[in-house]
Amino acid sequence: MAASAAAHLPLRGPPRAGAAPSRPSAAAVAGLRGRPERRGLAAAPRGGRGLGGVRTEAVSGGDGGGGGGLREPMVPPYNVLITGSTKGIGYALARKFLEAGDNVVICSRSAEKVESVVSDLKKEYGEQHVWGTVCDVRDGKDVKALVEFARDKLKHIDIWINNAGSNAYTYKPLVETSDEALMEIITTNTLGLMICCREAINTMRNQPRGGHIFNLDGAGSDGRPTPRFAAYGATKRSVVHLTKSLQAELQMNEVNNVMVHNLSPGMVTTDLLMSGATTKQAKFFINILAEPPDVVADYLVPNIREIPSNQSMKPTYIRFLTGLKAYSRIFSRLAFGARRNKYITED
């Protein structure tokens, strides 16, 4: 979500690049659509070769157990949990994982939305590949219940995507923002993310396969100002810091079978973004830089799946909207009028 140029022009150039039923998928074969743009991807794991010629990796655990012994190789189909996944980019990611043959647990605060979305997805992808439950990520008890639900359906979680976020549909200066809106934004984007990361790490470190956690960034994550949604930008800035701190804690505690990554979808034409398209500048940059959720998911999911398939435990930052792509589109617009009025009629 974003609504300003400053919030979306990256400070850096483009970075460098079982238990649930399985089913065949053509997307699993043709899933990778180009080289991933991310940092720190390891080419292959270290360690000996396990049974059946499958490579395994020796890992050690920190305080409290877990992460010790030989880490089982993570092979598809993957078991995926996505928060805030009944609409927008979360829903698009869920669909793309299902297309690739993976098993998915979705959740949101609305029982009605969960029931409706799960019903539709089961009709399209089968009864035994997608499940859903109600979860308010701001509530630790809800998140613990989400973990138990996922473990009951999937037995283990390979990929956990922290997508749930809120701007309280508010675009106004901080001095005009209500207490209720501030609490909604901060508790969802910051407290909720921390609770989810805590529960995901505690769960994955005790899994033979380990696991990968992906935290979605947003406008403000690069430190640039986000006028009219300052609180949202501040919470998204904290996402990057939290991810780095968790990476350091995992290393400090010698938990080598869990890794926390960042995921950057860029500007996505969700209801949240479009509700802020009320200024000339916002309309200009949404038309130039934004893409629909399914287009973004088409890029992100194959690159997410490549990490466990390579048995990599290196931290990564996968970006859809890179600096090169953003500046190229701005140039095309200024020089040739490209993407004018693509989504919104400009003044």
Side-chain angles (χ1 to χ4, degrees):
M1 194 285 299
S4 74
H8 284 278
L9 299 184
L11 288 171
R12 304 175 181 84
R16 300 184 298 274
S22 62
R23 57 195 165 96
S25 169
V29 178
L32 295 180
R33 302 181 178 181
R35 300 293 299 172
E37 301 198 30
R38 60 178 184 259
R39 298 179 300 198
L41 181 63
R46 295 180 178 179
R49 189 169 293 275
L51 295 176
V54 179
R55 186 176 294 273
T56 59
E57 182 178 356
V59 295
S60 58
D63 296 337
L70 290 177
R71 179 166 62 87
E72 291 182 1
M74 197 176 292
V75 295
Y78 301 119
N79 294 336
V80 184
L81 184 155
I82 308 172
T83 66
S85 43
T86 56
K87 61 181 180 179
I89 185 62
Y91 175 72
L93 290 170
R95 288 185 60 89
K96 194 63 182 176
F97 277 112
L98 287 166
E99 288 177 12
D102 298 323
N103 306 295
V104 178
V105 165
I106 67 170
C107 67
S108 84
R109 300 177 196 174
S110 169
E112 182 179 354
K113 287 182 179 178
V114 170
E115 182 179 357
S116 175
V117 169
V118 169
S119 176
D120 291 343
L121 291 176
K122 281 183 178 292
K123 291 176 184 177
E124 189 169 355
Y125 298 104
E127 289 287 329
Q128 297 303 312
H129 300 287
V130 58
W131 301 267
T133 187
V134 175
C135 180
D136 185 341
V137 299
R138 302 171 298 180
D139 187 329
K141 292 181 180 179
D142 265 24
V143 179
K144 289 179 186 292
L146 172 64
V147 170
E148 290 307 310
F149 178 87
R151 291 175 66 181
D152 177 63
K153 302 301 182 183
L154 304 173
K155 307 307 177 188
H156 60 266
I157 305 166
D158 298 318
I159 297 170
W160 181 310
I161 299 178
N162 286 313
N163 171 69
S166 176
N167 189 41
Y169 291 94
T170 297
Y171 290 90
K172 59 181 65 174
L174 183 66
V175 295
E176 299 175 14
T177 305
S178 68
D179 291 349
E180 292 77 15
L182 288 174
M183 289 299 294
E184 161 72 13
I185 295 165
I186 295 168
T187 56
T188 302
N189 300 356
T190 304
L191 176 62
L193 177 63
M194 291 178 179
I195 292 173
C196 285
C197 285
R198 181 190 67 193
E199 298 306 320
I201 292 171
N202 281 330
T203 299
M204 291 176 168
R205 68 187 300 185
N206 292 308
Q207 296 179 161
R209 290 162 65 114
H212 295 272
I213 302 162
F214 292 85
N215 295 333
L216 263 75
D217 72 5
S221 60
D222 60 3
R224 292 176 183 261
T226 52
R228 295 198 309 137
F229 48 106
Y232 177 91
T235 63
K236 287 302 180 179
R237 180 61 169 168
S238 73
V239 170
V240 178
H241 179 87
L242 177 64
T243 299
K244 290 180 178 179
S245 294
L246 293 177
Q247 291 166 354
E249 288 183 358
L250 291 171
Q251 183 179 22
M252 177 181 68
N253 291 321
E254 298 183 337
V255 179
N256 300 323
N257 66 336
V258 181
M259 183 47 64
V260 187
H261 314 270
N262 279 122
L263 197 61
S264 181
M267 297 181 73
V268 186
T269 57
T270 61
D271 293 341
L272 195 61
L273 175 69
M274 304 310 281
S275 66
T278 57
T279 67
K280 182 177 181 179
Q281 183 188 54
K283 294 175 182 178
F284 178 82
F285 282 101
I286 287 173
N287 283 331
I288 294 175
L289 301 178
E291 292 292 353
D294 58 326
V295 172
V296 178
D298 282 347
Y299 176 84
L300 293 180
V301 169
N303 286 294
I304 293 170
R305 297 181 83 250
E306 188 183 20
I307 294 173
S309 71
N310 284 346
Q311 307 304 319
S312 170
M313 296 306 294
K314 298 291 186 180
T316 61
Y317 204 134
I318 304 175
R319 300 179 189 270
F320 174 77
L321 182 62
T322 64
L324 179 62
K325 184 186 295 184
Y327 289 116
S328 174
R329 288 188 176 182
I330 292 171
F331 173 79
S332 295
R333 170 57 186 272
L334 296 177
F336 311 111
R339 297 174 68 101
R340 182 184 296 274
N341 301 326
K342 183 172 178 63
Y343 303 111
I344 309 167
T345 301
E346 298 176 36
D347 298 334

